[in-house]
C-alpha cells in the first residue's frame, strides 16, 4: 500500500494541498509513498503556529528545555531501529550507514542538552565606577531549516534541536525525496514534551521553500543542499532580512604522499569514496597522487577493493553499497562516466553497467575509478555525487596543494603522509574548511562546528557546536548602573 507523508503543524498531522510527489524505495525502484506538498497557505499556517508558540517557549528556562531534550534523546535511542529502517527504505543507505548517521545526529542532540551551560555569558563588574556590563544570548523567533536528501536523519538533527534549545521555534522542510524519518523525529519531539507549535514540519519543493524563506515572520534560515540552490536560498533569505546560513556542494581532494602507508590509505580511500554510494558532501572524489609510482601502486591496491564491493539493498546482510537516490540521479552520475571517457580520462573500473540480480529495477551502479584526470575536465571540476573516484597525478606537494586551493569548492580535504611537517603545512595552507590528516572523512564531532569554505558555504557561521548557539541567538549587551534610593 502506498503511504502518505503529511505536514506536522501545531502538534498535528495535516494533509493540506492537492499536489503530491512520489516517494520511491531506491533499492527496488518501486513507488512506495507520496508526499503532500505544502503550498503558501500551509506554510503560513506552520509559521503562524511557530510564531504563536514562541513567547511561552522562549520564557521556558534553559534547564527545563534541557530536560525535554534529554527525553527527546532517549526517545531517539528507543526508536533507533525504526528510524534506521525509514532511512534505508527511502534513501537506500545500508543499515550500518543509517545507524552511523543517526548516531552522529544524536550526538548533536547530546550537545544541545548542555544548553544551560552553552547560554552562559560574560559579566564584568566595575567597567566604570558603579557600572557593570553583561551579555545575554536571546532567541530570534521562528527559524526555518531546509535539508537535503543525503542524510535524512542527521542533518535535520543538526538544526532543530539546537534552535529550540536556544528558545526559538522551528519549521523544518526536509528533502521531498525522503521525508519520513524527519517526520517521525518531529513526532518524537512532541512525545518528549516539546509543546505544540514549537517544532513544525512542512514538506515540498521549491514552492514550499520560497514561501518559507520570504515569509515576513521567519527570522532565520538554515539550509543544506547543492551550491546553486544554497546561493539562491542565502541571497533570497538575506534580501528578506533574515539571518541565513546555506551549505552547498563539494569536490573533496585527498593528497597521497610517497611516504604514506599505501595499504591503509587505499582502504581508507575506498571507504571515503564509495560509502553512502558517494552521496555525501564529505566523500573523497579526487585522489591527488604525488608521483606516478604512488598513483600506480595505489590504483593496484584500490582496484580489488572496489571490484569486490558488495552492492545491494541497504537492509541486506553485509552489503557495503546501496543504490543511488533516484533513477534521474543514477542517469546523471552515469552520464559523468561517459563524459570522463570522452574527455580522455582512463576508466580503470567501470561500474556504470552494474545490475542487481535481486533488484533489477533498483537505482544501482558499481564503483567507478578514473585515472589521468586533469583539472580542465568536467569530471574534475563538477560535483558528481555518486560512486566515481578520480585520480589526478601531480609531481609534488606544492602542485597538489595549489590544485586544491584553485578549486571552487572547499568543503573537506585530507592528506595521507607520515611526515609531520608536510601534514602541518597542508593543514595551515589549504583553503578548505574541514581537514583530515590520515583521516579521509574528517567530519567534525558534535562539539566542533561543521562548515566548508569557498562555494561550499554561503555564510560565515558553522552548523552545530558553539557556532550553532551563536547562529540561533542574538547577542545583547547590557551596561547598568544602580543609584541608591537612599543612603545605606
Ligand atoms: P538540493 O539542493 O537539490 O536540495 C536541497 C533542498 O533544497 C531540498 O529540501 C529541496 O527540496 C530544496 N530545493 C531544491 N531545489 C530548489 C530550488 N530550486 N529552490 C528552492 N529550494 C530547492 O540538494 P540534494 O540533491 O537534496 O542534496 C545533495 C546536495 O547537498 C549535494 O550537492 C551535497 O554536496 C549537498 N550537501 C552539502 C552538505 C554540506 O554540509 N555542505 C551536506 C549534505 C549535502
Amino acid at each position: 500500500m502506498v503511504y502518505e507523508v503529511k505536514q506536522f503543524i501545531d502538534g498535528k498531522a495535516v494533509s493540506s494541498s492537492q499536489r503530491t510527489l512520489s516517494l520511491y524505495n531506491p533499492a527496488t525502484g518501486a513507488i512506495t509513498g507520496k508526499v503532500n506538498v505544502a503550498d503558501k497557505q500551509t506554510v503560513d499556517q506552520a509559521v503562524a503556529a511557530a510564531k504563536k508558540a514562541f513567547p511561552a517557549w522562549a520564557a521556558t528556562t534553559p534547564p527545563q528545555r534541557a530536560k525535554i531534550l534529554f527525553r527527546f534523546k532517549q526517545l531517539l535511542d528507543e526508536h533507533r531501529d525504526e528510524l534506521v529502517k525509514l532511512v534505508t527504505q527511502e534513501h537506500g543507505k545500508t543499515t550500518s550507514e543509517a545507524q552511523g548517521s543517526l548516531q552522529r545526529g544524536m550526538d548533536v542532540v547530546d550537545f544541545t542538552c548542555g544548553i544551560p551551560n552553552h547560554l552562559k555569558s560574560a559579566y564584568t563588574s566595575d567597567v566604570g565606577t558603579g557600572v557593570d556590563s553583561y551579555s545575554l544570548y536571546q532567541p530570534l523567533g521562528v527559524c526555518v531549516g531546509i535539508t537535503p536528501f543525503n542524510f535524512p536523519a542527521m542533518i535535520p538533527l543538526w538544526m532543530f534541536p539546537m534552535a529550540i534549545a536556544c528558545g526559538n521555534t522551528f519549521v523544518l522542510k526536509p528533502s521531498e525525496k525522503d521525508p519520513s524519518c524527519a517526520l517521525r523525529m518531529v513526532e518524537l519531539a512532541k512525545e518528549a514534551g516539546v509543546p505544540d507549535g514549537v517544532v513544525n514540519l512542512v514538506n515540498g519543493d521549491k514552492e514550499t521553500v520560497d514561501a518559507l524563506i520570504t515569509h515576513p515572520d521567519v527570522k532565520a534560515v538554515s539550509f543544506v543542499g547543492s551550491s546553486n540552490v544554497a546561493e539562491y536560498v542565502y541571497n533570497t533569505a538575506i534580501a528578506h532580512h533574515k539571518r541565513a546560513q546555506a551549505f552547498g556542494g563539494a569536490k573533496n581532494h585527498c593528497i597521497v604522499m610517497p611516504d604514506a602507508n599505501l595499504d591503509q590509505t587505499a582502504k581508507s580511500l575506498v571507504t571515503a569514496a564509495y560509502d553512502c554510494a558517494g552521496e555525501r558532501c564529505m566523500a573523497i572524489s579526487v585522489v591527488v597522487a604525488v608521483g606516478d609510482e604512488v598513483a600506480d601502486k595505489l590504483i593496484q591496491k584500490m582496484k580489488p577493493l572496489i571490484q569486490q564491493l558488495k552492492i545491494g539493498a541497504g537492509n541486506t546482510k553485509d552489503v557495503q553499497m546501496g543504490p543511488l537516490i533516484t533513477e534521474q540521479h543514477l542517469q546523471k552520475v552515469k552520464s559523468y562516466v561517459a563524459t570522463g571517457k570522452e574527455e580522455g580520462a582512463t576508466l580503470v573500473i567501470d561500474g556504470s553497467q552494474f545490475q542487481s540480480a535481486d533488484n533489477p529495477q533498483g537505482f544501482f551502479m558499481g564503483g567507478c575509478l578514473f585515472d589521468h584526470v586533469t583539472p580542465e575536465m568536467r569530471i574534475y571540476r563538477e560535483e558528481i555525487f555518486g560512486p566515481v573516484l578520480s585520480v589526478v597525478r601531480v609531481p609534488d606537494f606544492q602542485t597538489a596543494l595549489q590544485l586544491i586551493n584553485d578549486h571552487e569548492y572547499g568543503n573537506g580535504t585530507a592528506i595521507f603522509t607520515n611526515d609531520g611537517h608536510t601534514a602541518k603545512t597542508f593543514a595551515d595552507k589549504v583553503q578548505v574548511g574541514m581537514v583530515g590528516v590520515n583521516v579521509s572523512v574528517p567530519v567534525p564531532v558534535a562539539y566542533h562546528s561543521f562548515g566548508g569554505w569557498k562555494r561550499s558555504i554561503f555564510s560565515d557561521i558553522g552548523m552545530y557546536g558553539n557556532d550553532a548557539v551563536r547562529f540561533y541567538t542574538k547577542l545583547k549587551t547590557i551596561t547598568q548602573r544602580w543609584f541608591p534610593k537612599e543612603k545605606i
Side-chain angles (χ1 to χ4, degrees):
M1 204 185 70
V2 170
Y3 59 89
E4 185 188 351
V5 181
K6 300 181 179 174
Q7 334 297 351
F8 190 82
I9 298 175
D10 210 8
K12 288 172 280 299
V14 176
S15 180
S16 45
S17 76
Q18 296 300 313
R19 193 157 76 87
T20 59
L21 302 168
S22 295
L23 291 168
Y24 292 84
N25 178 338
T28 62
I31 293 180
T32 48
K34 57 181 180 172
V35 59
N36 193 259
V37 174
D39 54 15
K40 189 173 173 314
Q41 278 151 322
T42 313
V43 167
D44 285 348
Q45 216 183 318
V47 174
K51 190 180 176 189
K52 188 167 117 248
F54 176 65
W57 183 245
T60 304
T61 62
Q64 184 55 28
R65 288 183 222 140
K67 285 196 174 65
I68 295 173
L69 286 158
F70 268 117
R71 174 82 185 121
F72 177 50
K73 163 71 196 303
Q74 199 180 337
L75 286 175
L76 291 173
D77 204 17
E78 286 166 17
H79 291 262
R80 214 179 260 270
D81 292 346
E82 179 193 353
L83 296 169
V84 162
K85 269 192 196 133
L86 289 174
V87 171
T88 297
Q89 178 192 316
E90 281 183 358
H91 173 281
K93 277 191 201 304
T94 68
T95 298
S96 67
E97 288 166 355
Q99 284 164 339
S101 61
L102 174 64
Q103 183 57 54
R104 278 301 193 111
M106 286 168 62
D107 292 347
V108 175
V109 182
D110 278 350
F111 184 79
T112 68
C113 293
I115 196 64
N117 186 48
H118 302 319
L119 290 177
K120 269 195 319 202
S121 56
Y123 191 105
T124 314
S125 64
D126 299 320
V127 293
T129 306
V131 180
D132 297 343
S133 198
Y134 66 96
S135 299
L136 298 175
Y137 293 107
Q138 295 194 320
L140 308 172
V142 179
C143 300
V144 159
I146 300 151
T147 56
F149 78 80
N150 68 323
F151 284 104
M154 180 179 79
I155 297 183
L157 291 177
W158 287 1
M159 297 178 183
F160 76 84
M162 183 52 94
I164 67 168
C166 292
N168 303 286
T169 55
F170 206 82
V171 183
L172 174 67
K173 206 300 284 175
S175 170
E176 66 278 28
K177 298 185 178 105
D178 46 17
S180 292
C181 181
L183 178 60
R184 190 69 191 108
M185 293 194 301
V186 168
E187 288 169 355
L188 292 175
K190 176 182 163 107
E191 202 178 318
V194 173
D196 289 352
V198 171
V199 180
N200 308 275
L201 180 146
V202 291
N203 288 297
D205 50 18
K206 181 172 167 51
E207 179 186 359
T208 315
V209 172
D210 284 345
L212 285 167
I213 62 178
T214 57
H215 197 293
D217 290 333
V218 168
K219 302 293 180 203
V221 173
S222 298
F223 173 92
V224 178
S226 54
S227 285
N228 288 346
V229 182
E231 186 173 25
Y232 162 76
V233 166
Y234 181 78
N235 288 338
T236 309
I238 293 288
H240 287 79
H241 313 295
K242 287 144 203 1
R243 182 175 289 190
Q245 54 175 182
F247 287 42
K251 195 80 182 178
N252 304 319
H253 298 58
C254 178
I255 299 181
V256 183
M257 296 298 293
D259 63 357
N261 177 325
L262 291 186
D263 288 310
Q264 283 169 356
T265 307
K267 273 192 218 149
S268 195
L269 282 174
V270 169
T271 305
Y274 303 101
D275 276 12
C276 300
E279 290 173 328
R280 54 180 174 174
C281 68
M282 289 294 281
I284 291 291
S285 50
V286 181
V287 173
V288 188
V290 175
D292 283 331
E293 197 183 334
V294 170
D296 292 339
K297 283 188 183 160
L298 193 63
I299 288 170
Q300 282 320 307
K301 288 179 191 295
M302 287 196 297
K303 239 171 119 172
L305 302 177
I306 301 166
Q307 284 162 331
Q308 286 156 23
L309 283 173
K310 193 169 170 216
I311 301 164
N315 57 3
T316 327
K317 196 168 174 291
D318 296 333
V319 75
Q320 288 167 285
M321 195 164 94
L324 297 186
I325 184 73
T326 56
E327 174 66 30
Q328 192 190 13
H329 188 57
L330 174 68
Q331 294 311 329
K332 182 176 162 198
V333 175
K334 284 184 178 181
S335 79
Y336 272 110
V337 178
T339 302
K341 283 196 280 186
E342 283 158 29
E343 288 179 314
T346 311
L347 185 56
V348 180
I349 301 174
D350 182 3
S352 63
Q353 301 312 311
F354 174 87
Q355 277 251 324
S356 161
D358 297 334
N359 290 296
Q361 307 302 320
F363 311 141
F364 294 100
M365 67 179 278
C368 298
L369 180 67
F370 277 111
D371 190 10
H372 299 289
V373 174
T374 55
E376 43 320 318
M377 293 180 182
R378 273 187 57 210
I379 59 161
Y380 172 77
R381 294 197 321 268
E382 297 174 16
E383 180 182 45
I384 298 175
F385 219 55
V388 182
L389 180 63
S390 295
V391 177
V392 177
R393 295 169 178 238
V394 296
D396 52 40
F397 170 74
Q398 284 304 336
T399 313
L401 180 64
Q402 196 58 47
L403 192 69
I404 300 175
N405 288 348
D406 287 344
H407 203 284
E408 66 170 334
Y409 292 116
N411 212 39
T413 190
I415 189 166
F416 278 74
T417 179
N418 273 324
D419 182 73
H421 183 70
T422 308
K424 185 171 159 39
T425 307
F426 176 69
D428 286 349
K429 303 284 181 206
V430 74
Q431 300 295 304
V432 173
M434 293 170 280
V435 181
V437 174
N438 298 318
V439 172
S440 55
V441 186
V443 177
V445 293
Y447 38 96
H448 283 262
S449 300
F450 181 107
W453 285 16
K454 298 189 273 184
R455 233 183 124 64
S456 296
I457 194 169
F458 300 87
S459 90
D460 44 20
I461 193 153
M463 295 270 170
Y464 63 78
N466 289 332
D467 271 21
V469 181
R470 297 305 306 274
F471 182 78
Y472 289 122
T473 55
K474 281 185 292 201
L475 175 68
K476 181 184 278 177
T477 304
I478 293 112
T479 306
Q480 65 176 9
R481 175 164 56 179
W482 294 96
F483 297 107
K485 274 193 194 150
E486 56 196 48
K487 214 165 179 182
I488 46 170

